Amino acid sequence: METKLTRISEVAKSDPDMRFTSLVHLLDEENLKRCHHELPKGKATGVHGVTKEGYAAKLDENIQQLVTRLKKKAYRPVPVKRSYIEKPGSKKKRPLGIPDHEDKIIQRAITKILNAIYEQDFLDSSFGFRPNRNCHDALKILNVYLEKRKVNYVVDADIKGFFDHVDHKWMMTFLKHRIQDPNLLRIIERFLKGGYMEEGKYYVSDQGTPQGGIISPVLANVYLHYVLDLWFEEVVRKQCKGQAYIVRYADDWVCCFQYQQDAENFYESLIKRLRKFNLEIAEDKTNILPFGRFAEERSRREGQTKPPTFDFLGFTHYCGKSQKGTFRVKRKSSRKKVRAKLKSQKAWLKANRTMDIRLIMDRLYRSLQGYYNYYCITDNLKAVGDFLDEVKRLLFKWMNRRSQRKSFRWDKFSLFLQRYPLPKLRTKVNIYELRDELSYIL
């Protein structure tokens, strides 16, 4: 399959107008088995409760039957199982759709096909859920725009419930720009309209693409590629009198402008643009902010002590200065993300405080390592250090509640941390180091 996908990528790159008419044949037994093996173990199960191990018990038979249904056009995805997770900084919960294992296999195979085609079309401003791109790359590119370009205003925008309001008709229209295989399009449309199960009751899906599905990120990128990225590049930037840039990670994005009037015109046009595709801007989360090397001076003139800040990808961006006194963009962990993470750490420690202490410390060590890998970036070590202190306080509190007698005083707790040390703080990501394969963007 990899050879065929490479060929599809080459054709898609060489001919931007190429429409692929024969793709569904790639969903054969060999490729679907590979996709099964690539899926991670231990993940939440869908409506039928089938695990990867359970499906593998009769893998050849199951895959053969699946391919037969595909060829007969009888394959229909099982409704996803809806669950909810905490939404940082809000009392609301985010809905997740968990597909059945067999549907995960098909989704993974189709995602590979879509990536092979659309990676040639997606613009450099898009970073979310794409091969060889990540959140830190988006932050680095944004940092260059804010520090090195003529940026004085930032539009911090948010689409209200994007994944829940993706219009199915528009989605299929966008896909048909590149795909003319009716059999593959039928399967994708069935995923979109497959519905969901909640508390034993079936609900129809007339819009949206469920978060949690393997195929949802690439479909979201396709949708926003046509709705936002191309529009910004081909229309907005050409109408601006000054410089204008956009950095998007899935449905989280920031636009930068040289002139206030350009930012205001964009904001007004954005509302109309999203409405056309049945999307709505979250006005309480969307702002036009003065930001950049002249923002501090502008804030003083307007009677403000400090320039405004904005959040993007879990970091609060604010105007600062380097050791030489020149303008610099700095970042610290977003408060709502920190609070949410501390809340989850507290809940876990409380629920598992009687577990073997070695298992507790091993889990906490790995959790902190993951946190450091993301948040230990340039200028943010102090914020991560404060987070670590709070985690230690939680650990001290709940380890003292393993029994009716207190186990620790702070002096003994310090000795305990010497025996079971937590990972040390150090910068993991230098925001000023841009990988060679992304430097061409600038």
Side-chain angles (χ1 to χ4, degrees), residues 4 13 19 26 36 54 90 97 130 166 182 203 226 229 235 255 270 276 300 320 332 338 341 348 356-357 421 442:
K4 295 177 182 178
K13 186 175 183 179
R19 296 187 178 189
L26 294 172
H36 160 79
S90 173
R130 294 182 58 190
V166 168
Y203 294 87
Y226 290 103
D229 299 351
V235 179
C255 296
L270 177 65
K276 176 181 177 180
R300 279 199 298 267
K332 58 184 177 182
V338 171
K341 187 64 176 178
W348 191 89
D356 187 305
I357 194 67
L442 305 173

Side-chain angles (χ1 to χ4, degrees), residues 333 365 367-377 379-392 421-429:
S333 306
Y365 188 95
S367 175
L368 285 172
Q369 274 190 320
Y371 190 87
Y372 290 0
N373 288 339
Y374 187 76
Y375 283 101
C376 282
I377 69 172
D379 297 322
N380 196 43
L381 284 190
K382 181 183 183 303
V384 178
D386 293 341
F387 171 82
L388 177 60
D389 290 340
E390 291 296 325
V391 170
K392 288 179 180 178
L422 297 175
K424 294 182 179 179
L425 286 174
R426 65 181 182 87
T427 299
K428 299 280 188 175
V429 178

Side-chain angles (χ1 to χ4, degrees), residues 166-183:
V166 168
D167 187 280
H168 292 172
K169 289 184 179 179
W170 277 114
M171 173 64 80
M172 299 311 297
T173 299
F174 295 148
L175 289 171
K176 288 174 184 176
H177 284 304
R178 277 298 216 169
I179 299 172
Q180 288 292 300
D181 184 338
N183 295 318

Side-chain angles (χ1 to χ4, degrees), residues 170-277:
W170 277 114
M171 173 64 80
M172 299 311 297
T173 299
F174 295 148
L175 289 171
K176 288 174 184 176
H177 284 304
R178 277 298 216 169
I179 299 172
Q180 288 292 300
D181 184 338
N183 295 318
L184 185 67
L185 291 173
R186 183 187 302 109
I187 295 171
I188 295 174
E189 189 167 22
R190 285 178 178 177
F191 274 122
L192 291 173
K193 298 185 179 299
Y196 63 92
M197 298 290 292
E198 185 174 356
E199 297 181 352
K201 186 176 180 181
Y202 171 75
Y203 294 87
V204 176
S205 298
D206 55 0
Q207 61 179 354
T209 174
Q211 288 179 267
I214 296 172
I215 200 172
S216 292
V218 68
L219 291 180
N221 273 337
V222 170
Y223 202 85
L224 288 174
H225 170 72
Y226 290 103
V227 172
L228 185 63
D229 299 351
L230 280 177
W231 173 66
F232 189 90
E233 186 68 26
E234 300 296 331
V235 179
V236 174
R237 290 190 71 178
K238 292 179 180 179
Q239 293 177 349
C240 288
K241 295 180 180 179
Q243 295 183 9
Y245 307 96
I246 183 173
V247 177
R248 181 177 67 81
Y249 191 96
D251 62 329
D252 196 3
W253 42 281
V254 171
C255 296
C256 308
F257 296 91
Q258 182 177 355
Y259 298 123
Q260 183 176 2
Q261 188 62 54
D262 288 340
E264 292 174 351
N265 292 340
F266 167 73
Y267 183 87
E268 293 177 5
S269 300
L270 177 65
I271 296 174
K272 298 176 184 177
R273 177 71 178 178
L274 294 180
R275 189 181 300 134
K276 176 181 177 180
F277 299 99

Side-chain angles (χ1 to χ4, degrees), residues 4-130:
K4 295 177 182 178
L5 291 176
T6 300
R7 178 57 185 157
I8 290 172
S9 297
E10 292 172 351
V11 173
K13 186 175 183 179
S14 62
D15 186 356
D17 297 320
M18 176 67 179
R19 296 187 178 189
F20 294 86
T21 58
S22 179
L23 294 169
V24 79
H25 69 276
L26 294 172
L27 306 181
D28 59 22
E29 289 187 24
E30 181 184 350
N31 296 329
L32 294 181
K33 282 182 183 179
R34 184 179 293 112
C35 289
H36 160 79
H37 291 304
E38 291 171 350
L39 290 171
K41 298 178 182 178
K43 293 297 182 179
T45 58
V47 170
H48 291 161
V50 178
T51 63
K52 179 179 179 179
E53 293 76 15
Y55 195 83
K58 295 182 178 180
L59 183 60
D60 290 340
E61 180 181 342
N62 288 331
I63 293 294
Q64 286 174 4
Q65 292 177 357
L66 177 57
V67 171
T68 299
R69 278 181 283 139
L70 287 169
K71 289 180 178 179
K72 291 182 177 180
K73 303 176 186 178
Y75 167 76
R76 287 189 176 275
V78 176
V80 298
K81 183 171 71 174
R82 174 159 286 191
S83 62
Y84 294 88
I85 60 171
E86 297 289 337
K87 194 173 182 179
S90 173
K91 293 182 180 179
K92 297 180 181 179
K93 292 189 175 183
R94 178 179 287 116
L96 289 181
I98 305 170
D100 217 45
H101 180 76
E102 194 167 72
D103 295 335
K104 291 179 183 178
I105 294 173
I106 298 293
Q107 287 193 26
R108 184 170 182 85
I110 294 177
T111 297
K112 289 183 177 184
I113 296 171
L114 294 179
N115 277 331
I117 297 170
Y118 283 99
E119 270 302 303
Q120 319 312 315
D121 295 353
F122 291 153
L123 303 187
D124 293 331
S125 55
S126 168
F127 289 85
F129 306 107
R130 294 182 58 190

